Amino acid sequence: MTNKWNIRTHTEEDMRLANRLATELGLNPVVCLLLVQRGLSSVADTKKFFRPGLSDLYDPFLMPDMYKAVKRLNRALGNKEKIMVYGDYDVDGTTAVSLVYKFLRPYSSALDYYIPDRYDEGYGISYKGIDYAKEHGVTLVIALDCGIKAIDKIKYASEKGIDFIICDHHMPDDELPQAVAVLDAKRTDSNYPYEHLSGCGVGFKFMQAFAKSNDIPFSELENLLELTVVSIASDIVPITGENRILAYYGLKQLNSNPSLGLKGIINICGLGGKEITISDIVFKIGPRINASGRMENGKEAVELLLAKNMQIAREKSETINQYNEDRRELDKRITDEANAIICEIKNIEHQKGIVVYDPLWHKGVIGIVASRLTEKYYRPSIVLTKASSELITGSARSIAGFDIYKAIEACRDLLENFGGHTYAAGLSMREENMAEFIARFIKLADEEITPEQMIPQIDIDAVIDLQDINFKFMNELKKMNPLGPENEKPVFCSLNVKDYGTSKLVGKELDHLKLEIIDGKGGGPVQGIAFGMHKYSDYIKEMKPFDICYTIEENTYNGNTTIQLMVKDIRPLEL
């Protein structure tokens, strides 16, 4: 599939501001241009961006219902009530449960936690979980990363004498559950200054408020920030504002003194002794924590994150790592099966949405498969499978400019349950409604998505020469960490480059290109890796010119660190 390169244009004002920052801060003008693109135009703002301060976190009591939540928690602790910390089975939910449980454990001898079973109970608060709470004498449940739509279930709990404090970050409906407190910065009546917290982030703000009300020093919360950054990275929330502060200090904790559980995961995925980044969490740490809830039960992930000795941490890490290996095999098989179904759909090239179904697919990996289909075909994709004798469950992923949550919401009369975000959502429906749902969703996608939206775009921040790439430039780029949504890793392009004569195919299948390129403007060759781009090999080896877009990374091997381009696309200039 051909990508459209969207090279950012810069106004005279952008250039003026960037040059001023470069002069005042002694930074590379290109780096300053990246800062201006991110809305930073003053020295003070830039310094705060480079060095976020924990003192800049917002007052947690600005969030609606926070006083009510803290008051109810204080009463429960004072009366020695049994409290249950309840969370979803994914990374955000399990880190949130671990964070709240860890912090409250010294203040309560009657604390329990609960992770619903993906296959037996499904997403969010379950009747089975409420019944478990009742059987075990629980009178207060703190629900994390779920609950914002659990109106009937909260009512059911209330009838059983169980209070709920909901800490969620998903979009609420017009009606809120009748819980003791509903903490969600996305509430329509919320004036909280930042609405993009993860579920674990909302749990952190609750614990911050609890600590503040009981004169507990903030320093006692700081070691929990490692869990918050794992949730922020894994849940793909914006790394801006308050999330940037939490992620910045969470990474510091993760790199300097991780808890035993996270240290176990760090070691088993080969990150020991390396500087851990947001990317490492997204691609290595997060998937392993997630694999527990996908393949077995998310409770094992919490047991790992709460591990008190290295032996348990090591054993749990090995178990979860095996789940991840099993998940990979399953994910590949189901993706292949989904692709085979798509190949059989008539006129698929004219269809702007994809929905595939197989009753035997593993519910735990359909979200990953939906992501792979969206990436391959570049159109919104929904993957459905059987959840029970009566229910179909599904995961949805989208493309830029198409709000899949709203599209699914438009079909809500056919659904039993749904939730999510602009680019990712989950849903369930009765089997008899599936055909109508698919038809309506495809029609909606066909009506709303333009042909231009179906062309994947690569947003390029700046055009630079290869000779501009050196360790000084790299070190200045690193000041922009942590990188992620809305503070993306900068993408550059260099024009009219050529092979140095030493580029070659690598990998087991010889499907990757290891590049050494020059641009004729001076300086030695620059190394790069272009995964899956073997089709350009013959062209490049003929010393023909091409444009290239990429991100820049450091590559350490055998103690030697080099700069390497991570190639996103190649555009031949002679066809």
Side-chain angles (χ1 to χ4, degrees), residues 242-537:
E242 195 162 42
N243 277 347
R244 180 171 172 81
I245 301 170
L246 296 171
Y248 181 89
Y249 285 94
L251 281 174
K252 273 193 164 185
Q253 176 72 21
L254 207 54
N255 279 295
S256 62
N257 188 26
S259 61
L260 293 176
L262 281 169
K263 194 170 185 177
I265 303 176
I266 288 165
N267 289 339
I268 208 150
C269 55
L271 292 171
K274 297 180 181 177
E275 184 179 358
I276 296 164
T277 65
I278 293 292
S279 237
D280 292 324
I281 298 172
V282 171
F283 294 109
K284 294 181 179 179
I285 295 172
R288 284 168 170 81
I289 297 174
N290 242 340
S292 175
R294 291 187 189 281
M295 305 305 294
E296 291 293 332
N297 189 296
K299 191 169 185 179
E300 285 190 81
V302 178
E303 289 169 357
L304 167 63
L305 294 172
L306 296 176
K308 288 184 175 180
N309 70 65
M310 203 60 218
Q311 179 64 26
I312 291 173
R314 191 179 299 112
E315 289 170 4
K316 293 288 180 188
S317 296
E318 287 170 357
T319 301
I320 282 174
N321 193 56
Q322 186 56 53
Y323 290 155
N324 194 49
E325 293 301 314
D326 297 343
R327 186 272 306 164
R328 279 179 175 170
E329 290 178 19
L330 205 55
D331 153 27
K332 185 182 184 309
R333 176 174 64 76
I334 293 175
T335 300
D336 289 343
E337 291 172 6
N339 281 320
I341 291 171
I342 292 166
C343 287
E344 296 298 316
I345 299 174
K346 290 181 180 177
N347 299 319
I348 184 64
E349 65 273 13
H350 302 300
Q351 192 172 295
K352 294 178 181 175
I354 290 172
V355 185
V356 289
Y357 167 69
D358 188 306
L360 300 178
W361 283 341
H362 196 287
K363 198 162 71 167
V365 298
I366 57 173
I368 301 171
V369 175
S371 294
R372 299 203 192 288
L373 298 182
T374 297
E375 186 180 341
K376 179 173 181 177
Y377 300 101
Y378 208 72
R379 57 197 80 183
S381 304
I382 300 179
V383 180
L384 302 170
T385 190
K386 198 107 172 179
S388 65
S389 58
E390 296 180 346
L391 287 182
I392 302 294
T393 188
S395 277
R397 298 295 184 269
S398 196
I399 58 173
F402 184 74
D403 188 330
I404 204 152
Y405 176 86
K406 284 187 178 175
I408 290 169
E409 187 178 39
C411 307
R412 68 185 303 160
D413 56 302
L414 301 170
L415 304 176
E416 295 298 303
N417 198 8
F418 71 97
H421 310 285
T422 302
Y423 293 113
L427 63 149
S428 63
M429 72 190 92
R430 297 199 171 274
E431 191 167 5
E432 59 265 28
N433 290 335
M434 182 170 65
E436 171 64 21
F437 171 80
I438 293 172
R440 202 190 293 182
F441 176 79
I442 295 296
K443 184 173 184 288
L444 201 150
D446 286 346
E447 289 171 350
E448 290 194 11
I449 296 172
T450 65
E452 291 75 23
Q453 278 178 272
M454 295 171 68
I455 301 170
Q457 292 196 26
I458 299 176
D459 293 324
I460 297 169
D461 293 283
V463 180
I464 62 174
D465 295 332
L466 295 179
Q467 65 183 3
D468 296 331
I469 302 168
N470 53 43
F471 280 106
K472 184 176 185 300
F473 183 58
M474 187 72 208
N475 288 335
E476 291 185 10
L477 285 178
K478 283 162 73 174
K479 291 177 185 287
M480 298 178 67
N481 288 331
L483 298 163
E486 297 188 27
N487 181 37
E488 300 280 359
K489 185 175 289 189
V491 178
F492 302 102
C493 77
S494 295
L495 308 176
N496 200 21
V497 304
K498 289 183 180 179
D499 182 22
Y500 184 61
T502 48
S503 296
K504 60 184 178 182
L505 288 170
V506 295
K508 279 185 183 177
E509 308 294 326
L510 295 179
D511 51 355
H512 311 312
L513 260 174
K514 186 171 175 56
L515 297 170
E516 289 197 352
I517 54 175
I518 53 174
D519 61 7
K521 296 183 180 179
V526 175
Q527 296 180 349
I529 184 75
F531 290 112
M533 298 190 198
H534 56 92
K535 65 181 179 180
Y536 297 114
S537 176

Side-chain angles (χ1 to χ4, degrees), residues 126-305:
S126 69
Y127 289 111
K128 184 177 178 179
I130 294 167
D131 290 341
Y132 174 92
K134 180 64 179 175
E135 288 164 18
H136 289 80
V138 171
T139 51
L140 175 63
V141 176
I142 299 170
L144 296 144
D145 189 36
C146 59
I148 197 65
K149 294 187 176 185
I151 292 166
D152 293 342
K153 288 162 187 169
I154 298 302
K155 185 180 178 186
Y156 177 77
S158 183
E159 289 166 356
K160 290 185 172 291
I162 300 168
D163 287 340
F164 263 77
I165 295 169
I166 293 171
C167 304
D168 206 344
H169 70 129
H170 296 98
M171 289 297 295
D173 281 338
D174 294 336
E175 182 185 356
L176 294 176
Q178 293 301 304
V180 170
V182 179
L183 307 178
D184 188 334
K186 289 188 174 77
R187 283 175 51 164
T188 54
D189 62 342
S190 174
N191 292 316
Y192 191 74
Y194 191 75
E195 68 172 17
H196 300 299
L197 294 165
S198 64
C200 185
V202 178
F204 180 86
K205 297 304 294 186
F206 182 24
M207 293 300 95
Q208 185 188 0
F210 167 74
K212 195 171 181 180
S213 78
N214 289 283
D215 296 322
I216 299 167
F218 183 86
S219 57
E220 293 195 22
L221 281 162
E222 288 185 39
N223 67 332
L224 301 175
L225 288 169
E226 61 172 14
L227 293 165
T228 314
V229 72
V230 170
S231 80
I232 287 169
S234 301
D235 220 52
I236 322 292
V237 292
I239 303 187
T240 57
E242 195 162 42
N243 277 347
R244 180 171 172 81
I245 301 170
L246 296 171
Y248 181 89
Y249 285 94
L251 281 174
K252 273 193 164 185
Q253 176 72 21
L254 207 54
N255 279 295
S256 62
N257 188 26
S259 61
L260 293 176
L262 281 169
K263 194 170 185 177
I265 303 176
I266 288 165
N267 289 339
I268 208 150
C269 55
L271 292 171
K274 297 180 181 177
E275 184 179 358
I276 296 164
T277 65
I278 293 292
S279 237
D280 292 324
I281 298 172
V282 171
F283 294 109
K284 294 181 179 179
I285 295 172
R288 284 168 170 81
I289 297 174
N290 242 340
S292 175
R294 291 187 189 281
M295 305 305 294
E296 291 293 332
N297 189 296
K299 191 169 185 179
E300 285 190 81
V302 178
E303 289 169 357
L304 167 63
L305 294 172

